[in-house]
Amino acid sequence: MFPFSVYGSPFQLIAEAMNSHRLYIAAILLIPWFLVAQNNRNKTEESSLNGTSFFLADISFVNDAFFMGRNDSIAAPYILPSFGYYDKSGFFVDASLSYLVSSQENRVDLFLGSTGFLFSGDPLSGGISGTVYFFNEDSYNVKSMMVGDISGFLTYDFKIAEVSLLASTYFNDGSSADIFMGLMLDRMFYNRDKSIFIDPMITLYAGTQYFYQEYYRTSRLGNRKDQGQGTGDSNPVMQTNVNILEVSEFNILNIELSVPVYYSHKNFIFSFSPALALPQSSATLITEDAVIEEDLQSTFYFSIGISYFLRTKKNK
């Protein structure tokens, strides 16, 4: 699912990068609720593992924000611009923001910055990264109490398919850190000139739910940070104390099916990425007045995006 080779035409650049397209995994770990929206960016990033350095500009739209199969009851559609530098050594640094474009509110909801290192080999590739998050104080995103993460991945190419192991620690404001693990299986298909790519995949995520408990304490069950939802009153009003019974348990949280489709032309990548989230392990919410069993629903979401990259160095 990632583009660009190094030798000759952009199509060759894409073809070479497609042989080790696993930076996509890193992005899943860095910003899981961008999971699909970031794919077009991550395709290009893989070229850094094929002997070239480049700058990358990207803009995507995702119709709702998901994390580990969870989302808010109010949709959070985002426009996601980003800019980064990816060195042929494997080092990368990237910054992006999320602009909320809901019918009720329009604002910059999140700034984030990430850096890390990637390596690529045959058949094994991998990487490690760190990210910091700066959410708007009124954000109702399910990740809005997170302040940072450290993530890593390893991918083994079995030729008929690739299997990836994901691991990450997410740090929350006001509670313990979450530990997540993931397992992904995918297989790339492309046309003759490798200008169109289709990458069906299935991903399983498991982990703890401290992030979800903090989210419920600030953004659900009457605990909206901005009680007016668009009134401009951003004073927190805590109404309900919420605890999640399974908060420290390591459970399967989400199974996700997605079929990203990419079209590459010269230095551009266009993407459309539909996904189906199948959340698992419903939370048991404990308040002062009741015990509530959460009702999780499978949800379809999608993203569209465009990326442009500019190479700075080539192999000699």
Side-chain angles (χ1 to χ4, degrees):
M1 67 182 190
F2 300 58
F4 314 93
S5 85
V6 182
Y7 314 105
S9 73
F11 291 125
Q12 291 174 315
L13 183 60
I14 294 173
E16 290 294 327
M18 283 298 195
N19 292 331
S20 58
H21 66 286
R22 287 305 90 199
L23 180 61
Y24 168 61
I25 306 294
I28 295 178
L29 294 170
L30 295 173
I31 19 183
W33 49 276
F34 290 170
L35 170 59
V36 184
Q38 296 299 315
N39 289 357
N40 53 326
R41 186 176 90 194
N42 304 322
K43 290 179 58 198
T44 312
E45 293 167 357
E46 275 301 311
S47 66
S48 66
L49 304 180
N50 288 276
T52 185
S53 301
F54 60 90
F55 292 98
L56 178 68
D58 174 271
I59 187 165
S60 301
F61 169 79
V62 61
N63 71 315
D64 201 359
F66 280 81
F67 183 71
M68 297 297 161
R70 276 68 175 163
N71 66 326
D72 193 82
S73 57
I74 300 174
Y78 287 110
I79 295 174
L80 313 167
S82 67
F83 185 79
Y85 172 72
Y86 302 86
D87 192 78
K88 65 181 181 180
S89 66
F91 168 80
F92 70 92
V93 59
D94 188 274
S96 65
L97 63 83
S98 302
Y99 188 82
L100 183 65
V101 289
S102 73
S103 59
Q104 296 175 311
E105 298 181 76
N106 293 271
R107 62 165 180 260
V108 174
D109 209 45
L110 166 67
F111 288 99
L112 65 82
S114 60
T115 187
F117 183 82
L118 305 163
F119 71 90
S120 179
D122 187 9
L124 189 67
S125 59
I128 188 170
S129 63
T131 301
V132 292
Y133 302 89
F134 302 95
F135 277 95
N136 186 293
E137 63 179 6
D138 294 332
S139 177
Y140 55 87
N141 190 295
V142 72
K143 288 181 64 179
S144 61
M145 297 305 290
M146 290 185 174
V147 296
D149 77 72
I150 299 174
S151 301
F153 74 95
L154 285 174
T155 294
Y156 193 91
D157 186 357
F158 288 95
K159 304 305 180 183
I160 60 172
E162 290 191 345
V163 176
S164 301
L165 178 65
L166 324 174
S168 57
T169 298
Y170 279 78
F171 304 99
N172 302 299
D173 184 9
S175 73
S176 300
D178 281 301
I179 303 295
F180 299 113
M181 297 290 291
L183 184 66
M184 187 174 88
L185 175 68
D186 76 306
R187 170 67 186 273
M188 175 67 65
F189 300 92
Y190 45 84
N191 64 345
R192 180 171 297 181
D193 67 2
K194 295 187 177 180
S195 62
I196 299 175
F197 301 88
I198 302 175
D199 191 20
M201 64 184 67
I202 179 170
T203 311
L204 182 149
Y205 297 101
T208 55
Q209 298 187 64
Y210 290 104
F211 79 97
Y212 205 37
Q213 179 171 268
E214 291 304 308
Y215 153 75
Y216 260 104
R217 288 175 175 177
T218 58
S219 297
R220 289 289 279 267
L221 298 182
N223 290 342
R224 293 290 178 192
K225 300 172 188 174
D226 182 346
Q227 292 294 310
Q229 279 296 294
T231 65
D233 179 11
S234 59
N235 295 321
V237 179
M238 301 301 293
Q239 296 181 354
T240 305
N241 185 35
V242 183
N243 292 289
I244 292 180
L245 183 63
E246 307 87 352
V247 66
S248 63
E249 296 179 8
F250 195 87
N251 293 321
I252 295 175
L253 298 179
N254 188 34
I255 299 172
E256 187 149 299
L257 310 174
S258 58
V259 188
V261 179
Y262 307 97
Y263 171 68
S264 61
H265 178 68
K266 297 184 178 179
N267 287 33
F268 289 93
I269 305 166
F270 304 88
S271 68
F272 172 67
S273 303
L276 178 65
L278 304 171
Q280 309 293 311
S281 303
S282 298
T284 304
L285 309 174
I286 303 174
T287 72
E288 297 94 331
D289 303 316
V291 176
I292 305 169
E293 184 72 21
E294 184 182 34
D295 182 20
L296 295 174
Q297 302 291 330
S298 60
T299 307
F300 171 83
Y301 68 103
F302 70 91
S303 77
I304 56 175
I306 181 172
S307 299
Y308 178 82
F309 75 96
L310 178 65
R311 287 178 291 173
T312 62
K313 301 176 185 177
K314 294 184 181 179
N315 272 345
K316 297 181 179 180

